[in-house]
Amino acid sequence: MARIVLLKDGQAFPYELNSFPAKLGRHPDCDIQVDSSLVSRFHAQILNVDGKLMLEDQGSGNGSFLNGRQLDKLQPQPLRNGDRIKLGPMKFRFEDETAAQDQMLEVPGYDLTDGASSTIMGSASAKGYGLFEIRPEEKLRGILKINQSLAGAVEVTSIAPKILDVLFEIFPQADRGSILIRDEKLQRLVPVAQKRRSESDDESVRLSRTVLDRVLADRTGILSADAASDARFSASESISNLTIHSMMCVPMLNFEGQPFGVINLDTQNPMKRFTDDDLELLLAVASQAAHSYENARLLQSHIEKQKQDKEMKIASGVQRALLPEELPKVPGYKFYASYDAAQAVGGDYFDCFRLENSQKICISFGDVAGKGVPGALIMSRISSVVQNTMSFTDDVAKALQRINSHMCHNMVEGRFVTYILGVIDLETNTITLANAGHMSPLIRHADGTVEEFDDSTIGIPIGIMDGYPYEVMQRTISPGETFVLITDGVDEAMDPDGELYTKERVQKFVRDGSSDPEVLGKALLADVRKHANGRAQNDDITIMTFGRLM
């Protein structure tokens, strides 16, 4: 497949060549329309002559140029992969994927050629700043220039152009320069800056794949003092078309000494070739430039992290606002709850509030599958759903059906909520409760014995199956009985050796603990933290206790 690529304002605009002749010009009827008053209405055309593509000038006013040479009118000239075309001020590159010898770097304005086995004419290590015995004054001056130019620069995108500006001061013989940085997403080098000393210079910069591979693999600076006799540049087309007479390419190393980019300079003047000393000087300056680039990148990451931390702090405050500020104060009963997220926000949830115009208390307790921001978003959703649903009904069976139906609607795959919904009738001292996939509450009797609901009464988590028939249980709350609800962050809390707190330990602690719900809840949380012994939480920890006083 052949195409012609318009190079304009640092961007590439490709046009596939599917039919011939392909006309280029300012007129709307042209196959490739060019918006410039210096381009003729029908400026040039590309012909297919016996399977070979050719460029022909159509008698244009400002001429058509192929690799810097003006074409005679109506005299077609053959096109080769990588040829440069100029129509008036507009520049193009011809690409032919069938040309096996020439592979292009798919980035605007840059050509990457595969050279033959090359003989390196000069190289130097990229460690540190190079040998200061060689032109120490110029190296120091170059480093100071880089420091002065980049002082205060925090935007990574602004650093590369400034580096090239300094390099053009240090190397007056340089005609073109480019900086390529590794894009982690694309897993390849991409250009971040390009500079030409003269606007009339060709926009396309030829880079040898062999040289780049050597620079990156060996962390070595490469010098070609005479590109005309260097095999790396002779594989695909003549040196007259490349218009490079001398070049230098050096790596940019991060703080770990690994290459993350390259700096390339070349000259088109055969009388101003780069030398070994120039390569040493470029390595020294590139090392400082790389450090400045890395510092800016790390600073930018730090600023982004501070911004994220601030946003997460706000999100944490929003989530805390969804939890009750205080629990009901009811004669003869006591309620307690604690909430500790493993991250800034979490997926655990609890609520406890008096139903409007009644002597009933709603108990709502859940654990979202997953923690962090995804869990917190689902937690906020169920919080609003419960509040809205319970404002219309105190029937646990109906309420849980509606809550489940709402959570099933547009639920993210793999996200569900283990959940317990209960209603305490203060007049009859009874609790009506339904369990949707959560571990059973522990019920501590006045004599210290501990009871759990039968596993057969536990349904599936909400958000999985709409219309699931949850079983509803009802029982009397006797004086001295305390209900203990926990999320799995409690029994799965780990100490520094990786030992779990375990559900058995929770049961024993509840059995041996206080009959006061608040005292028991606080003591259980303290014991879990003691067990962790400073180890960071691996999950959200939420405890709710409530009971009828003696």
Side-chain angles (χ1 to χ4, degrees), residues 3-7 12-15 80-86 91-96 104-111 203-206:
R3 68 176 67 88
I4 187 169
V5 181
L6 171 63
L7 305 173
F13 303 91
Y15 297 89
R80 293 172 295 180
N81 185 40
D83 277 349
R84 301 177 306 282
I85 300 170
K86 187 176 179 182
K91 298 176 182 179
F92 300 83
R93 183 177 66 240
F94 174 73
E95 296 181 355
D96 186 357
M104 307 303 248
L105 178 65
E106 296 177 3
V107 184
Y110 291 79
D111 296 341
E203 288 186 358
S204 297
V205 177
R206 293 280 174 177

PDB file of all heavy atoms in Angstrom, residues 3-7 12-15 80-86 91-96 104-111 203-206:
ATOM      1  N   ARG A   3       1.218   5.543   0.054  1.00  0.00           N
ATOM      2  CA  ARG A   3       0.514   6.730   0.553  1.00  0.00           C
ATOM      3  C   ARG A   3       1.429   7.927   0.427  1.00  0.00           C
ATOM      4  O   ARG A   3       2.658   7.789   0.307  1.00  0.00           O
ATOM      5  CB  ARG A   3       0.076   6.539   2.009  1.00  0.00           C
ATOM      6  CG  ARG A   3       1.222   6.487   3.003  1.00  0.00           C
ATOM      7  CD  ARG A   3       0.720   6.403   4.440  1.00  0.00           C
ATOM      8  NE  ARG A   3       0.053   5.148   4.692  1.00  0.00           N
ATOM      9  CZ  ARG A   3       0.675   4.035   5.093  1.00  0.00           C
ATOM     10  NH1 ARG A   3       1.989   4.046   5.271  1.00  0.00           N
ATOM     11  NH2 ARG A   3       0.011   2.926   5.307  1.00  0.00           N
ATOM     12  N   ILE A   4       0.837   9.099   0.507  1.00  0.00           N
ATOM     13  CA  ILE A   4       1.600  10.334   0.571  1.00  0.00           C
ATOM     14  C   ILE A   4       1.180  11.042   1.852  1.00  0.00           C
ATOM     15  O   ILE A   4      -0.005  11.116   2.181  1.00  0.00           O
ATOM     16  CB  ILE A   4       1.374  11.217  -0.678  1.00  0.00           C
ATOM     17  CG1 ILE A   4       2.324  12.416  -0.647  1.00  0.00           C
ATOM     18  CG2 ILE A   4      -0.070  11.645  -0.812  1.00  0.00           C
ATOM     19  CD1 ILE A   4       2.345  13.187  -1.956  1.00  0.00           C
ATOM     20  N   VAL A   5       2.159  11.516   2.624  1.00  0.00           N
ATOM     21  CA  VAL A   5       1.909  12.073   3.951  1.00  0.00           C
ATOM     22  C   VAL A   5       2.227  13.558   3.942  1.00  0.00           C
ATOM     23  O   VAL A   5       3.365  13.967   3.636  1.00  0.00           O
ATOM     24  CB  VAL A   5       2.759  11.350   5.015  1.00  0.00           C
ATOM     25  CG1 VAL A   5       2.473  11.935   6.404  1.00  0.00           C
ATOM     26  CG2 VAL A   5       2.485   9.854   5.002  1.00  0.00           C
ATOM     27  N   LEU A   6       1.230  14.377   4.244  1.00  0.00           N
ATOM     28  CA  LEU A   6       1.422  15.819   4.365  1.00  0.00           C
ATOM     29  C   LEU A   6       2.008  16.116   5.733  1.00  0.00           C
ATOM     30  O   LEU A   6       1.469  15.701   6.763  1.00  0.00           O
ATOM     31  CB  LEU A   6       0.088  16.548   4.182  1.00  0.00           C
ATOM     32  CG  LEU A   6       0.089  18.063   4.488  1.00  0.00           C
ATOM     33  CD1 LEU A   6       1.022  18.805   3.543  1.00  0.00           C
ATOM     34  CD2 LEU A   6      -1.333  18.619   4.410  1.00  0.00           C
ATOM     35  N   LEU A   7       3.157  16.824   5.767  1.00  0.00           N
ATOM     36  CA  LEU A   7       3.821  17.205   7.012  1.00  0.00           C
ATOM     37  C   LEU A   7       3.539  18.675   7.264  1.00  0.00           C
ATOM     38  O   LEU A   7       4.062  19.545   6.552  1.00  0.00           O
ATOM     39  CB  LEU A   7       5.323  16.947   6.921  1.00  0.00           C
ATOM     40  CG  LEU A   7       5.730  15.519   6.534  1.00  0.00           C
ATOM     41  CD1 LEU A   7       7.220  15.436   6.301  1.00  0.00           C
ATOM     42  CD2 LEU A   7       5.281  14.541   7.598  1.00  0.00           C
ATOM     43  N   ALA A  12       1.244  14.798  10.978  1.00  0.00           N
ATOM     44  CA  ALA A  12       1.248  14.061   9.723  1.00  0.00           C
ATOM     45  C   ALA A  12      -0.187  13.774   9.301  1.00  0.00           C
ATOM     46  O   ALA A  12      -1.007  13.341  10.119  1.00  0.00           O
ATOM     47  CB  ALA A  12       2.026  12.756   9.879  1.00  0.00           C
ATOM     48  N   PHE A  13      -0.480  14.024   8.021  1.00  0.00           N
ATOM     49  CA  PHE A  13      -1.808  13.780   7.476  1.00  0.00           C
ATOM     50  C   PHE A  13      -1.656  12.828   6.287  1.00  0.00           C
ATOM     51  O   PHE A  13      -1.291  13.256   5.182  1.00  0.00           O
ATOM     52  CB  PHE A  13      -2.470  15.080   7.047  1.00  0.00           C
ATOM     53  CG  PHE A  13      -2.582  16.104   8.148  1.00  0.00           C
ATOM     54  CD1 PHE A  13      -1.571  17.042   8.349  1.00  0.00           C
ATOM     55  CD2 PHE A  13      -3.677  16.110   8.998  1.00  0.00           C
ATOM     56  CE1 PHE A  13      -1.662  17.975   9.364  1.00  0.00           C
ATOM     57  CE2 PHE A  13      -3.785  17.047  10.019  1.00  0.00           C
ATOM     58  CZ  PHE A  13      -2.776  17.976  10.201  1.00  0.00           C
ATOM     59  N   PRO A  14      -1.902  11.523   6.492  1.00  0.00           N
ATOM     60  CA  PRO A  14      -1.676  10.551   5.416  1.00  0.00           C
ATOM     61  C   PRO A  14      -2.842  10.506   4.426  1.00  0.00           C
ATOM     62  O   PRO A  14      -4.008  10.658   4.793  1.00  0.00           O
ATOM     63  CB  PRO A  14      -1.546   9.230   6.176  1.00  0.00           C
ATOM     64  CG  PRO A  14      -2.378   9.429   7.404  1.00  0.00           C
ATOM     65  CD  PRO A  14      -2.273  10.885   7.759  1.00  0.00           C
ATOM     66  N   TYR A  15      -2.519  10.290   3.161  1.00  0.00           N
ATOM     67  CA  TYR A  15      -3.508  10.111   2.103  1.00  0.00           C
ATOM     68  C   TYR A  15      -3.155   8.822   1.358  1.00  0.00           C
ATOM     69  O   TYR A  15      -2.082   8.726   0.759  1.00  0.00           O
ATOM     70  CB  TYR A  15      -3.500  11.296   1.125  1.00  0.00           C
ATOM     71  CG  TYR A  15      -3.884  12.617   1.747  1.00  0.00           C
ATOM     72  CD1 TYR A  15      -2.923  13.443   2.313  1.00  0.00           C
ATOM     73  CD2 TYR A  15      -5.210  13.043   1.773  1.00  0.00           C
ATOM     74  CE1 TYR A  15      -3.263  14.657   2.889  1.00  0.00           C
ATOM     75  CE2 TYR A  15      -5.567  14.257   2.337  1.00  0.00           C
ATOM     76  CZ  TYR A  15      -4.589  15.060   2.896  1.00  0.00           C
ATOM     77  OH  TYR A  15      -4.933  16.264   3.463  1.00  0.00           O
ATOM     78  N   ARG A  80      10.360   6.690  -4.678  1.00  0.00           N
ATOM     79  CA  ARG A  80      10.843   5.610  -3.830  1.00  0.00           C
ATOM     80  C   ARG A  80      10.412   5.855  -2.390  1.00  0.00           C
ATOM     81  O   ARG A  80      10.176   6.992  -1.989  1.00  0.00           O
ATOM     82  CB  ARG A  80      12.369   5.521  -3.908  1.00  0.00           C
ATOM     83  CG  ARG A  80      12.899   5.083  -5.280  1.00  0.00           C
ATOM     84  CD  ARG A  80      14.396   5.195  -5.339  1.00  0.00           C
ATOM     85  NE  ARG A  80      14.837   6.582  -5.222  1.00  0.00           N
ATOM     86  CZ  ARG A  80      16.113   6.942  -5.236  1.00  0.00           C
ATOM     87  NH1 ARG A  80      17.053   6.029  -5.353  1.00  0.00           N
ATOM     88  NH2 ARG A  80      16.439   8.212  -5.119  1.00  0.00           N
ATOM     89  N   ASN A  81      10.345   4.781  -1.662  1.00  0.00           N
ATOM     90  CA  ASN A  81       9.907   4.868  -0.268  1.00  0.00           C
ATOM     91  C   ASN A  81      10.761   5.874   0.509  1.00  0.00           C
ATOM     92  O   ASN A  81      11.984   5.802   0.494  1.00  0.00           O
ATOM     93  CB  ASN A  81      10.001   3.486   0.392  1.00  0.00           C
ATOM     94  CG  ASN A  81       9.433   3.501   1.799  1.00  0.00           C
ATOM     95  OD1 ASN A  81       8.419   4.133   2.034  1.00  0.00           O
ATOM     96  ND2 ASN A  81      10.088   2.818   2.721  1.00  0.00           N
ATOM     97  N   GLY A  82      10.109   6.827   1.149  1.00  0.00           N
ATOM     98  CA  GLY A  82      10.817   7.828   1.940  1.00  0.00           C
ATOM     99  C   GLY A  82      11.156   9.089   1.176  1.00  0.00           C
ATOM    100  O   GLY A  82      11.721  10.020   1.762  1.00  0.00           O
ATOM    101  N   ASP A  83      10.835   9.158  -0.124  1.00  0.00           N
ATOM    102  CA  ASP A  83      11.123  10.372  -0.895  1.00  0.00           C
ATOM    103  C   ASP A  83      10.396  11.576  -0.307  1.00  0.00           C
ATOM    104  O   ASP A  83       9.276  11.464   0.208  1.00  0.00           O
ATOM    105  CB  ASP A  83      10.695  10.190  -2.356  1.00  0.00           C
ATOM    106  CG  ASP A  83      11.755   9.475  -3.180  1.00  0.00           C
ATOM    107  OD1 ASP A  83      12.878   9.313  -2.664  1.00  0.00           O
ATOM    108  OD2 ASP A  83      11.450   9.065  -4.319  1.00  0.00           O
ATOM    109  N   ARG A  84      11.053  12.736  -0.418  1.00  0.00           N
ATOM    110  CA  ARG A  84      10.485  13.975   0.095  1.00  0.00           C
ATOM    111  C   ARG A  84       9.988  14.824  -1.076  1.00  0.00           C
ATOM    112  O   ARG A  84      10.731  15.056  -2.047  1.00  0.00           O
ATOM    113  CB  ARG A  84      11.520  14.733   0.914  1.00  0.00           C
ATOM    114  CG  ARG A  84      12.040  13.910   2.084  1.00  0.00           C
ATOM    115  CD  ARG A  84      13.117  14.614   2.882  1.00  0.00           C
ATOM    116  NE  ARG A  84      14.234  15.060   2.058  1.00  0.00           N
ATOM    117  CZ  ARG A  84      15.203  14.260   1.601  1.00  0.00           C
ATOM    118  NH1 ARG A  84      15.158  12.973   1.873  1.00  0.00           N
ATOM    119  NH2 ARG A  84      16.194  14.738   0.882  1.00  0.00           N
ATOM    120  N   ILE A  85       8.780  15.278  -0.945  1.00  0.00           N
ATOM    121  CA  ILE A  85       8.139  16.058  -2.002  1.00  0.00           C
ATOM    122  C   ILE A  85       7.790  17.441  -1.448  1.00  0.00           C
ATOM    123  O   ILE A  85       7.294  17.558  -0.319  1.00  0.00           O
ATOM    124  CB  ILE A  85       6.856  15.355  -2.506  1.00  0.00           C
ATOM    125  CG1 ILE A  85       7.194  13.963  -3.060  1.00  0.00           C
ATOM    126  CG2 ILE A  85       6.135  16.193  -3.544  1.00  0.00           C
ATOM    127  CD1 ILE A  85       5.973  13.108  -3.349  1.00  0.00           C
ATOM    128  N   LYS A  86       8.028  18.468  -2.251  1.00  0.00           N
ATOM    129  CA  LYS A  86       7.700  19.828  -1.840  1.00  0.00           C
ATOM    130  C   LYS A  86       6.945  20.510  -2.962  1.00  0.00           C
ATOM    131  O   LYS A  86       7.441  20.619  -4.097  1.00  0.00           O
ATOM    132  CB  LYS A  86       8.971  20.605  -1.491  1.00  0.00           C
ATOM    133  CG  LYS A  86       8.701  21.980  -0.894  1.00  0.00           C
ATOM    134  CD  LYS A  86      10.001  22.653  -0.480  1.00  0.00           C
ATOM    135  CE  LYS A  86       9.734  24.037   0.100  1.00  0.00           C
ATOM    136  NZ  LYS A  86      10.983  24.734   0.467  1.00  0.00           N
ATOM    137  N   LYS A  91       5.061  20.424   2.354  1.00  0.00           N
ATOM    138  CA  LYS A  91       5.997  19.310   2.326  1.00  0.00           C
ATOM    139  C   LYS A  91       5.268  17.986   2.532  1.00  0.00           C
ATOM    140  O   LYS A  91       4.354  17.887   3.351  1.00  0.00           O
ATOM    141  CB  LYS A  91       7.068  19.496   3.394  1.00  0.00           C
ATOM    142  CG  LYS A  91       7.906  20.752   3.158  1.00  0.00           C
ATOM    143  CD  LYS A  91       8.910  20.970   4.276  1.00  0.00           C
ATOM    144  CE  LYS A  91       9.712  22.250   4.045  1.00  0.00           C
ATOM    145  NZ  LYS A  91      10.687  22.503   5.126  1.00  0.00           N
ATOM    146  N   PHE A  92       5.714  16.976   1.789  1.00  0.00           N
ATOM    147  CA  PHE A  92       5.118  15.648   1.849  1.00  0.00           C
ATOM    148  C   PHE A  92       6.218  14.600   1.968  1.00  0.00           C
ATOM    149  O   PHE A  92       7.393  14.866   1.652  1.00  0.00           O
ATOM    150  CB  PHE A  92       4.302  15.343   0.584  1.00  0.00           C
ATOM    151  CG  PHE A  92       3.165  16.296   0.320  1.00  0.00           C
ATOM    152  CD1 PHE A  92       3.385  17.505  -0.310  1.00  0.00           C
ATOM    153  CD2 PHE A  92       1.868  15.959   0.697  1.00  0.00           C
ATOM    154  CE1 PHE A  92       2.338  18.375  -0.568  1.00  0.00           C
ATOM    155  CE2 PHE A  92       0.820  16.827   0.444  1.00  0.00           C
ATOM    156  CZ  PHE A  92       1.055  18.031  -0.192  1.00  0.00           C
ATOM    157  N   ARG A  93       5.809  13.423   2.387  1.00  0.00           N
ATOM    158  CA  ARG A  93       6.686  12.258   2.369  1.00  0.00           C
ATOM    159  C   ARG A  93       5.960  11.122   1.659  1.00  0.00           C
ATOM    160  O   ARG A  93       4.779  10.867   1.943  1.00  0.00           O
ATOM    161  CB  ARG A  93       7.071  11.811   3.782  1.00  0.00           C
ATOM    162  CG  ARG A  93       8.053  10.636   3.808  1.00  0.00           C
ATOM    163  CD  ARG A  93       8.483  10.265   5.221  1.00  0.00           C
ATOM    164  NE  ARG A  93       7.371   9.745   6.000  1.00  0.00           N
ATOM    165  CZ  ARG A  93       6.925  10.289   7.124  1.00  0.00           C
ATOM    166  NH1 ARG A  93       7.490  11.380   7.594  1.00  0.00           N
ATOM    167  NH2 ARG A  93       5.914   9.759   7.781  1.00  0.00           N
ATOM    168  N   PHE A  94       6.643  10.462   0.751  1.00  0.00           N
ATOM    169  CA  PHE A  94       6.061   9.330   0.040  1.00  0.00           C
ATOM    170  C   PHE A  94       6.424   8.048   0.774  1.00  0.00           C
ATOM    171  O   PHE A  94       7.577   7.823   1.133  1.00  0.00           O
ATOM    172  CB  PHE A  94       6.570   9.275  -1.402  1.00  0.00           C
ATOM    173  CG  PHE A  94       6.111   8.047  -2.153  1.00  0.00           C
ATOM    174  CD1 PHE A  94       4.794   7.932  -2.577  1.00  0.00           C
ATOM    175  CD2 PHE A  94       6.983   7.004  -2.417  1.00  0.00           C
ATOM    176  CE1 PHE A  94       4.357   6.798  -3.256  1.00  0.00           C
ATOM    177  CE2 PHE A  94       6.563   5.872  -3.101  1.00  0.00           C
ATOM    178  CZ  PHE A  94       5.241   5.769  -3.521  1.00  0.00           C
ATOM    179  N   GLU A  95       5.412   7.198   1.034  1.00  0.00           N
ATOM    180  CA  GLU A  95       5.641   5.941   1.740  1.00  0.00           C
ATOM    181  C   GLU A  95       5.095   4.794   0.905  1.00  0.00           C
ATOM    182  O   GLU A  95       3.974   4.868   0.391  1.00  0.00           O
ATOM    183  CB  GLU A  95       4.968   5.947   3.120  1.00  0.00           C
ATOM    184  CG  GLU A  95       5.533   6.995   4.059  1.00  0.00           C
ATOM    185  CD  GLU A  95       4.863   6.962   5.430  1.00  0.00           C
ATOM    186  OE1 GLU A  95       3.907   6.180   5.587  1.00  0.00           O
ATOM    187  OE2 GLU A  95       5.296   7.730   6.304  1.00  0.00           O
ATOM    188  N   ASP A  96       5.905   3.749   0.804  1.00  0.00           N
ATOM    189  CA  ASP A  96       5.510   2.557   0.057  1.00  0.00           C
ATOM    190  C   ASP A  96       5.819   1.339   0.904  1.00  0.00           C
ATOM    191  O   ASP A  96       6.983   0.992   1.111  1.00  0.00           O
ATOM    192  CB  ASP A  96       6.254   2.492  -1.274  1.00  0.00           C
ATOM    193  CG  ASP A  96       5.760   1.338  -2.152  1.00  0.00           C
ATOM    194  OD1 ASP A  96       4.884   0.588  -1.680  1.00  0.00           O
ATOM    195  OD2 ASP A  96       6.255   1.195  -3.283  1.00  0.00           O
ATOM    196  N   MET A 104       9.637   2.444   8.218  1.00  0.00           N
ATOM    197  CA  MET A 104       9.465   3.793   8.729  1.00  0.00           C
ATOM    198  C   MET A 104       8.968   3.788  10.159  1.00  0.00           C
ATOM    199  O   MET A 104       8.146   2.973  10.528  1.00  0.00           O
ATOM    200  CB  MET A 104       8.449   4.549   7.864  1.00  0.00           C
ATOM    201  CG  MET A 104       8.769   4.537   6.372  1.00  0.00           C
ATOM    202  SD  MET A 104      10.383   5.198   6.064  1.00  0.00           S
ATOM    203  CE  MET A 104       9.919   6.671   5.219  1.00  0.00           C
ATOM    204  N   LEU A 105       9.473   4.686  10.938  1.00  0.00           N
ATOM    205  CA  LEU A 105       8.925   4.939  12.253  1.00  0.00           C
ATOM    206  C   LEU A 105       7.639   5.715  12.064  1.00  0.00           C
ATOM    207  O   LEU A 105       7.627   6.772  11.448  1.00  0.00           O
ATOM    208  CB  LEU A 105       9.908   5.764  13.078  1.00  0.00           C
ATOM    209  CG  LEU A 105       9.467   6.166  14.484  1.00  0.00           C
ATOM    210  CD1 LEU A 105       9.304   4.926  15.340  1.00  0.00           C
ATOM    211  CD2 LEU A 105      10.456   7.114  15.096  1.00  0.00           C
ATOM    212  N   GLU A 106       6.537   5.209  12.582  1.00  0.00           N
ATOM    213  CA  GLU A 106       5.229   5.790  12.287  1.00  0.00           C
ATOM    214  C   GLU A 106       4.962   7.006  13.165  1.00  0.00           C
ATOM    215  O   GLU A 106       4.082   7.014  14.009  1.00  0.00           O
ATOM    216  CB  GLU A 106       4.141   4.736  12.483  1.00  0.00           C
ATOM    217  CG  GLU A 106       4.281   3.585  11.510  1.00  0.00           C
ATOM    218  CD  GLU A 106       3.253   2.522  11.753  1.00  0.00           C
ATOM    219  OE1 GLU A 106       2.402   2.711  12.645  1.00  0.00           O
ATOM    220  OE2 GLU A 106       3.292   1.501  11.074  1.00  0.00           O
ATOM    221  N   VAL A 107       5.786   8.040  12.962  1.00  0.00           N
ATOM    222  CA  VAL A 107       5.654   9.271  13.709  1.00  0.00           C
ATOM    223  C   VAL A 107       5.878  10.423  12.748  1.00  0.00           C
ATOM    224  O   VAL A 107       6.754  10.337  11.882  1.00  0.00           O
ATOM    225  CB  VAL A 107       6.702   9.340  14.853  1.00  0.00           C
ATOM    226  CG1 VAL A 107       6.491  10.580  15.676  1.00  0.00           C
ATOM    227  CG2 VAL A 107       6.621   8.099  15.720  1.00  0.00           C
ATOM    228  N   PRO A 108       5.075  11.495  12.839  1.00  0.00           N
ATOM    229  CA  PRO A 108       5.210  12.614  11.907  1.00  0.00           C
ATOM    230  C   PRO A 108       6.620  13.168  11.848  1.00  0.00           C
ATOM    231  O   PRO A 108       7.205  13.490  12.875  1.00  0.00           O
ATOM    232  CB  PRO A 108       4.235  13.655  12.479  1.00  0.00           C
ATOM    233  CG  PRO A 108       3.253  12.862  13.265  1.00  0.00           C
ATOM    234  CD  PRO A 108       4.020  11.683  13.807  1.00  0.00           C
ATOM    235  N   GLY A 109       7.166  13.262  10.642  1.00  0.00           N
ATOM    236  CA  GLY A 109       8.418  13.959  10.433  1.00  0.00           C
ATOM    237  C   GLY A 109       9.659  13.165  10.727  1.00  0.00           C
ATOM    238  O   GLY A 109      10.755  13.694  10.665  1.00  0.00           O
ATOM    239  N   TYR A 110       9.555  11.863  11.083  1.00  0.00           N
ATOM    240  CA  TYR A 110      10.719  11.079  11.434  1.00  0.00           C
ATOM    241  C   TYR A 110      10.744   9.794  10.620  1.00  0.00           C
ATOM    242  O   TYR A 110       9.743   9.099  10.529  1.00  0.00           O
ATOM    243  CB  TYR A 110      10.705  10.699  12.925  1.00  0.00           C
ATOM    244  CG  TYR A 110      10.906  11.879  13.828  1.00  0.00           C
ATOM    245  CD1 TYR A 110       9.848  12.736  14.109  1.00  0.00           C
ATOM    246  CD2 TYR A 110      12.140  12.160  14.387  1.00  0.00           C
ATOM    247  CE1 TYR A 110      10.015  13.827  14.938  1.00  0.00           C
ATOM    248  CE2 TYR A 110      12.315  13.254  15.219  1.00  0.00           C
ATOM    249  CZ  TYR A 110      11.263  14.081  15.491  1.00  0.00           C
ATOM    250  OH  TYR A 110      11.435  15.152  16.300  1.00  0.00           O
ATOM    251  N   ASP A 111      11.906   9.490  10.025  1.00  0.00           N
ATOM    252  CA  ASP A 111      12.074   8.250   9.289  1.00  0.00           C
ATOM    253  C   ASP A 111      13.099   7.401  10.019  1.00  0.00           C
ATOM    254  O   ASP A 111      14.168   7.885  10.395  1.00  0.00           O
ATOM    255  CB  ASP A 111      12.594   8.509   7.868  1.00  0.00           C
ATOM    256  CG  ASP A 111      11.580   9.294   7.047  1.00  0.00           C
ATOM    257  OD1 ASP A 111      10.415   9.298   7.455  1.00  0.00           O
ATOM    258  OD2 ASP A 111      11.966   9.876   6.032  1.00  0.00           O
ATOM    259  N   GLU A 203      12.118  18.674   6.763  1.00  0.00           N
ATOM    260  CA  GLU A 203      11.504  18.353   8.054  1.00  0.00           C
ATOM    261  C   GLU A 203      11.779  16.926   8.490  1.00  0.00           C
ATOM    262  O   GLU A 203      11.766  16.614   9.662  1.00  0.00           O
ATOM    263  CB  GLU A 203       9.986  18.568   7.985  1.00  0.00           C
ATOM    264  CG  GLU A 203       9.584  20.028   7.937  1.00  0.00           C
ATOM    265  CD  GLU A 203       8.084  20.193   8.014  1.00  0.00           C
ATOM    266  OE1 GLU A 203       7.381  19.171   8.059  1.00  0.00           O
ATOM    267  OE2 GLU A 203       7.608  21.327   8.024  1.00  0.00           O
ATOM    268  N   SER A 204      11.990  16.004   7.545  1.00  0.00           N
ATOM    269  CA  SER A 204      12.185  14.603   7.884  1.00  0.00           C
ATOM    270  C   SER A 204      13.602  14.373   8.387  1.00  0.00           C
ATOM    271  O   SER A 204      14.564  14.789   7.757  1.00  0.00           O
ATOM    272  CB  SER A 204      11.932  13.711   6.667  1.00  0.00           C
ATOM    273  OG  SER A 204      10.604  13.828   6.250  1.00  0.00           O
ATOM    274  N   VAL A 205      13.726  13.714   9.515  1.00  0.00           N
ATOM    275  CA  VAL A 205      15.024  13.399  10.090  1.00  0.00           C
ATOM    276  C   VAL A 205      15.245  11.902   9.978  1.00  0.00           C
ATOM    277  O   VAL A 205      14.428  11.119  10.461  1.00  0.00           O
ATOM    278  CB  VAL A 205      15.103  13.834  11.576  1.00  0.00           C
ATOM    279  CG1 VAL A 205      16.424  13.420  12.168  1.00  0.00           C
ATOM    280  CG2 VAL A 205      14.921  15.347  11.671  1.00  0.00           C
ATOM    281  N   ARG A 206      16.344  11.504   9.333  1.00  0.00           N
ATOM    282  CA  ARG A 206      16.643  10.087   9.155  1.00  0.00           C
ATOM    283  C   ARG A 206      17.355   9.547  10.390  1.00  0.00           C
ATOM    284  O   ARG A 206      18.363  10.094  10.825  1.00  0.00           O
ATOM    285  CB  ARG A 206      17.536   9.894   7.932  1.00  0.00           C
ATOM    286  CG  ARG A 206      16.850  10.233   6.621  1.00  0.00           C
ATOM    287  CD  ARG A 206      15.976   9.087   6.204  1.00  0.00           C
ATOM    288  NE  ARG A 206      15.201   9.439   5.017  1.00  0.00           N
ATOM    289  CZ  ARG A 206      14.398   8.613   4.398  1.00  0.00           C
ATOM    290  NH1 ARG A 206      14.242   7.398   4.838  1.00  0.00           N
ATOM    291  NH2 ARG A 206      13.724   9.009   3.349  1.00  0.00           N
TER     292      ARG A 206
END
